[in-house]
Amino acid sequence: MAAAPGDESRIGRYKVVLLGPPGAGKGTQAQVLCEHLNVPAISTGDMLREAVAEGSQLGRRVQEIMASGALVDDATMAEVVRERLARPDARQGFLLDGYPRTLPQARTLEGILDGMSEELDAVLLVEVPEAELVRRTLLRGRADDTENVVRERLRVYREKTEPLIGYYKERGLLRAIDGDRPIEEVTARMLVDLGVSR
Ligand code: AMP
């Protein structure tokens, strides 16, 4: 059952990472969860797409990389995330969707949080079978969602991002969630795992 909105909207200060392959529903969950947790949902993919749409220097630099399904380099992403987490709204906590995606990025995030005397509360791993991932991403139909690009993004996920599962498991932060369930059920499960609802 979905948790009723109410007291939990005042809790805030949750610092959470959503981890999982492209198409697992991280973005959808981030939109709902951020309301419950009262923290900003920060999607690095959305930030980069905005930069591309604006035609900013960053946008021009990352456009082709994104279109190919590859990852933007760690140094560029460190700058983007450092700047975003320094904004006042992130003081209340945050829900990171799409960052970190590599081990160096995970260490960068740890460093940024250390500098703020903060640490992550949890990493929610959203698990969905591969066939379903491809189906969902193609349905979404964004410009960077053609079948070849979808497959490439999955390959990159397995190679670069999956190692983060072990990294966060070792730190006792990982919570695995079955993402192959109705949206409301997945949200409810996440809220239980975060200790927001029972
Ligand atoms: P997303 O919407 O999270 O799937 O991100 C879309 C694209 O933006 C990715 O395929 C990457 O090219 C780029 N991107 C977003 N976040 C990151 C990140 N943390 N590291 C590297 N590239 C990223």
Side-chain angles (χ1 to χ4, degrees):
M1 204 169 74
D7 282 351
E8 79 263 22
S9 64
R10 286 197 299 274
I11 293 175
R13 295 205 47 76
Y14 279 91
K15 292 169 294 307
V16 177
V17 165
L18 287 178
L19 190 63
K26 301 188 298 296
T28 304
Q29 290 301 328
Q31 290 314 315
V32 187
L33 269 185
C34 69
E35 298 286 331
H36 285 280
L37 303 178
N38 199 22
V39 298
I42 299 177
S43 157
T44 47
D46 283 351
M47 291 173 75
L48 296 177
R49 275 184 290 275
E50 270 168 40
V52 170
E54 283 167 6
S56 68
Q57 200 184 356
L58 171 67
R60 290 196 305 268
R61 192 141 49 96
V62 302
Q63 189 162 20
E64 274 187 33
I65 300 169
M66 289 178 75
S68 74
L71 293 183
V72 173
D73 67 281
D74 292 334
T76 300
M77 292 313 300
E79 241 176 86
V80 168
V81 165
R82 193 180 296 282
E83 189 271 329
R84 181 63 188 86
L85 291 181
R87 286 193 226 158
D89 65 336
R91 285 274 158 197
Q92 305 308 315
F94 52 78
L95 191 54
L96 271 175
D97 162 19
Y99 190 95
R101 259 180 156 93
T102 65
L103 283 171
Q105 290 183 12
R107 294 191 194 99
T108 296
L109 177 61
E110 212 164 70
I112 295 173
L113 293 179
D114 263 355
M116 302 160 79
S117 304
E118 298 278 8
E119 51 188 34
L120 286 178
D121 296 301
V123 175
L124 302 177
L125 171 67
V126 193
E127 298 182 302
V128 173
E130 176 140 349
E132 176 64 13
L133 290 176
V134 175
R135 196 187 69 84
R136 286 190 195 181
T137 324
L138 291 176
L139 274 180
R140 193 169 65 180
R142 271 190 333 228
D144 55 347
D145 284 345
T146 62
E147 179 145 6
N148 280 345
V149 174
V150 170
R151 300 240 177 244
E152 174 61 10
R153 293 169 77 207
L154 273 173
R155 192 193 63 74
V156 170
Y157 172 79
R158 305 274 181 239
E159 181 187 319
K160 304 262 174 63
T161 310
E162 254 180 10
L164 296 185
I165 295 173
Y167 179 89
Y168 285 124
K169 213 180 255 178
E170 270 172 29
R171 283 159 180 74
L173 290 171
L174 198 82
R175 312 277 179 274
I177 313 265
D178 180 2
D180 198 14
R181 309 286 313 161
I183 292 173
E184 301 73 29
E185 256 180 62
V186 177
T187 310
R189 186 73 242 162
M190 289 177 164
L191 290 171
V192 169
D193 279 346
L194 291 172
V196 175
S197 59
R198 283 189 294 164

PDB file of all heavy atoms in Angstrom, residues 75-95:
ATOM      1  N   ALA A  75      35.462  14.271 -14.763  1.00  0.00           N
ATOM      2  CA  ALA A  75      35.838  15.619 -14.311  1.00  0.00           C
ATOM      3  C   ALA A  75      34.709  16.609 -14.588  1.00  0.00           C
ATOM      4  O   ALA A  75      34.358  17.438 -13.735  1.00  0.00           O
ATOM      5  CB  ALA A  75      37.130  16.066 -14.998  1.00  0.00           C
ATOM      6  N   THR A  76      34.121  16.510 -15.784  1.00  0.00           N
ATOM      7  CA  THR A  76      32.993  17.390 -16.125  1.00  0.00           C
ATOM      8  C   THR A  76      31.832  17.136 -15.174  1.00  0.00           C
ATOM      9  O   THR A  76      31.214  18.079 -14.651  1.00  0.00           O
ATOM     10  CB  THR A  76      32.538  17.143 -17.583  1.00  0.00           C
ATOM     11  OG1 THR A  76      33.631  17.423 -18.456  1.00  0.00           O
ATOM     12  CG2 THR A  76      31.343  18.002 -17.947  1.00  0.00           C
ATOM     13  N   MET A  77      31.541  15.864 -14.932  1.00  0.00           N
ATOM     14  CA  MET A  77      30.412  15.534 -14.060  1.00  0.00           C
ATOM     15  C   MET A  77      30.673  16.005 -12.623  1.00  0.00           C
ATOM     16  O   MET A  77      29.743  16.426 -11.928  1.00  0.00           O
ATOM     17  CB  MET A  77      30.135  14.019 -14.078  1.00  0.00           C
ATOM     18  CG  MET A  77      29.613  13.499 -15.405  1.00  0.00           C
ATOM     19  SD  MET A  77      28.279  14.467 -16.149  1.00  0.00           S
ATOM     20  CE  MET A  77      27.014  14.364 -14.898  1.00  0.00           C
ATOM     21  N   ALA A  78      31.934  15.941 -12.192  1.00  0.00           N
ATOM     22  CA  ALA A  78      32.269  16.395 -10.837  1.00  0.00           C
ATOM     23  C   ALA A  78      31.924  17.874 -10.684  1.00  0.00           C
ATOM     24  O   ALA A  78      31.351  18.293  -9.676  1.00  0.00           O
ATOM     25  CB  ALA A  78      33.755  16.153 -10.548  1.00  0.00           C
ATOM     26  N   GLU A  79      32.263  18.650 -11.724  1.00  0.00           N
ATOM     27  CA  GLU A  79      31.961  20.089 -11.698  1.00  0.00           C
ATOM     28  C   GLU A  79      30.450  20.331 -11.611  1.00  0.00           C
ATOM     29  O   GLU A  79      29.989  21.147 -10.810  1.00  0.00           O
ATOM     30  CB  GLU A  79      32.452  20.702 -13.014  1.00  0.00           C
ATOM     31  CG  GLU A  79      33.497  21.772 -12.896  1.00  0.00           C
ATOM     32  CD  GLU A  79      33.926  22.184 -14.290  1.00  0.00           C
ATOM     33  OE1 GLU A  79      33.260  23.054 -14.866  1.00  0.00           O
ATOM     34  OE2 GLU A  79      34.911  21.599 -14.808  1.00  0.00           O
ATOM     35  N   VAL A  80      29.711  19.615 -12.462  1.00  0.00           N
ATOM     36  CA  VAL A  80      28.252  19.768 -12.517  1.00  0.00           C
ATOM     37  C   VAL A  80      27.635  19.463 -11.145  1.00  0.00           C
ATOM     38  O   VAL A  80      26.817  20.221 -10.628  1.00  0.00           O
ATOM     39  CB  VAL A  80      27.647  18.831 -13.599  1.00  0.00           C
ATOM     40  CG1 VAL A  80      26.133  18.749 -13.483  1.00  0.00           C
ATOM     41  CG2 VAL A  80      28.049  19.300 -14.998  1.00  0.00           C
ATOM     42  N   VAL A  81      28.045  18.353 -10.552  1.00  0.00           N
ATOM     43  CA  VAL A  81      27.436  17.905  -9.298  1.00  0.00           C
ATOM     44  C   VAL A  81      27.886  18.764  -8.112  1.00  0.00           C
ATOM     45  O   VAL A  81      27.084  19.102  -7.242  1.00  0.00           O
ATOM     46  CB  VAL A  81      27.745  16.410  -9.068  1.00  0.00           C
ATOM     47  CG1 VAL A  81      27.469  16.007  -7.641  1.00  0.00           C
ATOM     48  CG2 VAL A  81      26.913  15.575 -10.021  1.00  0.00           C
ATOM     49  N   ARG A  82      29.159  19.134  -8.105  1.00  0.00           N
ATOM     50  CA  ARG A  82      29.671  19.979  -7.019  1.00  0.00           C
ATOM     51  C   ARG A  82      28.890  21.290  -6.959  1.00  0.00           C
ATOM     52  O   ARG A  82      28.450  21.730  -5.900  1.00  0.00           O
ATOM     53  CB  ARG A  82      31.163  20.259  -7.239  1.00  0.00           C
ATOM     54  CG  ARG A  82      31.886  20.851  -6.053  1.00  0.00           C
ATOM     55  CD  ARG A  82      33.354  21.097  -6.375  1.00  0.00           C
ATOM     56  NE  ARG A  82      34.094  19.871  -6.662  1.00  0.00           N
ATOM     57  CZ  ARG A  82      34.529  19.030  -5.724  1.00  0.00           C
ATOM     58  NH1 ARG A  82      34.304  19.287  -4.456  1.00  0.00           N
ATOM     59  NH2 ARG A  82      35.189  17.945  -6.061  1.00  0.00           N
ATOM     60  N   GLU A  83      28.689  21.876  -8.154  1.00  0.00           N
ATOM     61  CA  GLU A  83      27.969  23.156  -8.232  1.00  0.00           C
ATOM     62  C   GLU A  83      26.511  22.966  -7.778  1.00  0.00           C
ATOM     63  O   GLU A  83      25.979  23.781  -7.021  1.00  0.00           O
ATOM     64  CB  GLU A  83      28.061  23.667  -9.675  1.00  0.00           C
ATOM     65  CG  GLU A  83      27.538  25.086  -9.880  1.00  0.00           C
ATOM     66  CD  GLU A  83      26.051  25.124 -10.206  1.00  0.00           C
ATOM     67  OE1 GLU A  83      25.542  24.153 -10.834  1.00  0.00           O
ATOM     68  OE2 GLU A  83      25.400  26.095  -9.816  1.00  0.00           O
ATOM     69  N   ARG A  84      25.907  21.858  -8.204  1.00  0.00           N
ATOM     70  CA  ARG A  84      24.478  21.647  -7.877  1.00  0.00           C
ATOM     71  C   ARG A  84      24.278  21.407  -6.385  1.00  0.00           C
ATOM     72  O   ARG A  84      23.329  21.911  -5.775  1.00  0.00           O
ATOM     73  CB  ARG A  84      23.931  20.469  -8.705  1.00  0.00           C
ATOM     74  CG  ARG A  84      22.440  20.177  -8.460  1.00  0.00           C
ATOM     75  CD  ARG A  84      21.572  21.344  -8.866  1.00  0.00           C
ATOM     76  NE  ARG A  84      20.168  21.180  -8.490  1.00  0.00           N
ATOM     77  CZ  ARG A  84      19.661  21.522  -7.301  1.00  0.00           C
ATOM     78  NH1 ARG A  84      20.458  22.038  -6.355  1.00  0.00           N
ATOM     79  NH2 ARG A  84      18.388  21.369  -7.042  1.00  0.00           N
ATOM     80  N   LEU A  85      25.169  20.627  -5.778  1.00  0.00           N
ATOM     81  CA  LEU A  85      25.009  20.300  -4.356  1.00  0.00           C
ATOM     82  C   LEU A  85      25.356  21.493  -3.453  1.00  0.00           C
ATOM     83  O   LEU A  85      25.000  21.498  -2.281  1.00  0.00           O
ATOM     84  CB  LEU A  85      25.863  19.087  -3.976  1.00  0.00           C
ATOM     85  CG  LEU A  85      25.416  17.747  -4.571  1.00  0.00           C
ATOM     86  CD1 LEU A  85      26.318  16.619  -4.097  1.00  0.00           C
ATOM     87  CD2 LEU A  85      23.954  17.440  -4.229  1.00  0.00           C
ATOM     88  N   ALA A  86      26.029  22.478  -4.027  1.00  0.00           N
ATOM     89  CA  ALA A  86      26.369  23.675  -3.244  1.00  0.00           C
ATOM     90  C   ALA A  86      25.183  24.634  -3.158  1.00  0.00           C
ATOM     91  O   ALA A  86      25.200  25.574  -2.361  1.00  0.00           O
ATOM     92  CB  ALA A  86      27.567  24.383  -3.867  1.00  0.00           C
ATOM     93  N   ARG A  87      24.162  24.420  -3.985  1.00  0.00           N
ATOM     94  CA  ARG A  87      22.999  25.322  -3.931  1.00  0.00           C
ATOM     95  C   ARG A  87      22.209  25.084  -2.639  1.00  0.00           C
ATOM     96  O   ARG A  87      22.154  23.968  -2.128  1.00  0.00           O
ATOM     97  CB  ARG A  87      22.096  25.106  -5.152  1.00  0.00           C
ATOM     98  CG  ARG A  87      22.722  25.688  -6.410  1.00  0.00           C
ATOM     99  CD  ARG A  87      21.703  25.757  -7.524  1.00  0.00           C
ATOM    100  NE  ARG A  87      22.273  25.238  -8.757  1.00  0.00           N
ATOM    101  CZ  ARG A  87      21.575  24.780  -9.793  1.00  0.00           C
ATOM    102  NH1 ARG A  87      20.258  24.762  -9.731  1.00  0.00           N
ATOM    103  NH2 ARG A  87      22.175  24.339 -10.868  1.00  0.00           N
ATOM    104  N   PRO A  88      21.589  26.152  -2.125  1.00  0.00           N
ATOM    105  CA  PRO A  88      20.950  26.091  -0.810  1.00  0.00           C
ATOM    106  C   PRO A  88      19.919  24.974  -0.661  1.00  0.00           C
ATOM    107  O   PRO A  88      19.840  24.363   0.409  1.00  0.00           O
ATOM    108  CB  PRO A  88      20.273  27.458  -0.670  1.00  0.00           C
ATOM    109  CG  PRO A  88      20.944  28.349  -1.644  1.00  0.00           C
ATOM    110  CD  PRO A  88      21.504  27.497  -2.726  1.00  0.00           C
ATOM    111  N   ASP A  89      19.140  24.695  -1.710  1.00  0.00           N
ATOM    112  CA  ASP A  89      18.072  23.696  -1.548  1.00  0.00           C
ATOM    113  C   ASP A  89      18.631  22.309  -1.226  1.00  0.00           C
ATOM    114  O   ASP A  89      17.968  21.497  -0.585  1.00  0.00           O
ATOM    115  CB  ASP A  89      17.151  23.656  -2.774  1.00  0.00           C
ATOM    116  CG  ASP A  89      17.855  23.183  -4.032  1.00  0.00           C
ATOM    117  OD1 ASP A  89      19.103  23.307  -4.104  1.00  0.00           O
ATOM    118  OD2 ASP A  89      17.180  22.686  -4.943  1.00  0.00           O
ATOM    119  N   ALA A  90      19.870  22.029  -1.651  1.00  0.00           N
ATOM    120  CA  ALA A  90      20.449  20.706  -1.408  1.00  0.00           C
ATOM    121  C   ALA A  90      20.913  20.538   0.045  1.00  0.00           C
ATOM    122  O   ALA A  90      21.251  19.432   0.465  1.00  0.00           O
ATOM    123  CB  ALA A  90      21.611  20.450  -2.365  1.00  0.00           C
ATOM    124  N   ARG A  91      20.922  21.627   0.788  1.00  0.00           N
ATOM    125  CA  ARG A  91      21.235  21.558   2.223  1.00  0.00           C
ATOM    126  C   ARG A  91      20.192  20.745   2.974  1.00  0.00           C
ATOM    127  O   ARG A  91      20.454  20.223   4.049  1.00  0.00           O
ATOM    128  CB  ARG A  91      21.268  22.978   2.824  1.00  0.00           C
ATOM    129  CG  ARG A  91      22.495  23.740   2.454  1.00  0.00           C
ATOM    130  CD  ARG A  91      23.598  23.408   3.428  1.00  0.00           C
ATOM    131  NE  ARG A  91      24.894  23.685   2.838  1.00  0.00           N
ATOM    132  CZ  ARG A  91      26.036  23.213   3.300  1.00  0.00           C
ATOM    133  NH1 ARG A  91      26.061  22.444   4.366  1.00  0.00           N
ATOM    134  NH2 ARG A  91      27.175  23.500   2.715  1.00  0.00           N
ATOM    135  N   GLN A  92      18.987  20.705   2.401  1.00  0.00           N
ATOM    136  CA  GLN A  92      17.898  19.953   3.031  1.00  0.00           C
ATOM    137  C   GLN A  92      17.980  18.468   2.720  1.00  0.00           C
ATOM    138  O   GLN A  92      17.096  17.711   3.107  1.00  0.00           O
ATOM    139  CB  GLN A  92      16.533  20.459   2.519  1.00  0.00           C
ATOM    140  CG  GLN A  92      16.312  21.940   2.698  1.00  0.00           C
ATOM    141  CD  GLN A  92      16.570  22.385   4.118  1.00  0.00           C
ATOM    142  OE1 GLN A  92      16.128  21.741   5.057  1.00  0.00           O
ATOM    143  NE2 GLN A  92      17.330  23.463   4.272  1.00  0.00           N
ATOM    144  N   GLY A  93      19.030  18.059   2.004  1.00  0.00           N
ATOM    145  CA  GLY A  93      19.122  16.691   1.529  1.00  0.00           C
ATOM    146  C   GLY A  93      18.881  16.662   0.038  1.00  0.00           C
ATOM    147  O   GLY A  93      18.664  17.721  -0.569  1.00  0.00           O
ATOM    148  N   PHE A  94      18.933  15.477  -0.558  1.00  0.00           N
ATOM    149  CA  PHE A  94      18.762  15.374  -2.003  1.00  0.00           C
ATOM    150  C   PHE A  94      18.514  13.934  -2.397  1.00  0.00           C
ATOM    151  O   PHE A  94      18.803  12.999  -1.638  1.00  0.00           O
ATOM    152  CB  PHE A  94      20.014  15.898  -2.726  1.00  0.00           C
ATOM    153  CG  PHE A  94      21.286  15.260  -2.239  1.00  0.00           C
ATOM    154  CD1 PHE A  94      21.647  13.985  -2.642  1.00  0.00           C
ATOM    155  CD2 PHE A  94      22.105  15.927  -1.338  1.00  0.00           C
ATOM    156  CE1 PHE A  94      22.800  13.386  -2.169  1.00  0.00           C
ATOM    157  CE2 PHE A  94      23.265  15.332  -0.858  1.00  0.00           C
ATOM    158  CZ  PHE A  94      23.615  14.055  -1.274  1.00  0.00           C
ATOM    159  N   LEU A  95      17.978  13.807  -3.588  1.00  0.00           N
ATOM    160  CA  LEU A  95      17.761  12.506  -4.193  1.00  0.00           C
ATOM    161  C   LEU A  95      18.503  12.548  -5.519  1.00  0.00           C
ATOM    162  O   LEU A  95      18.105  13.265  -6.430  1.00  0.00           O
ATOM    163  CB  LEU A  95      16.265  12.338  -4.418  1.00  0.00           C
ATOM    164  CG  LEU A  95      15.698  11.010  -4.808  1.00  0.00           C
ATOM    165  CD1 LEU A  95      16.121   9.943  -3.825  1.00  0.00           C
ATOM    166  CD2 LEU A  95      14.183  11.117  -4.840  1.00  0.00           C
TER     167      LEU A  95
END
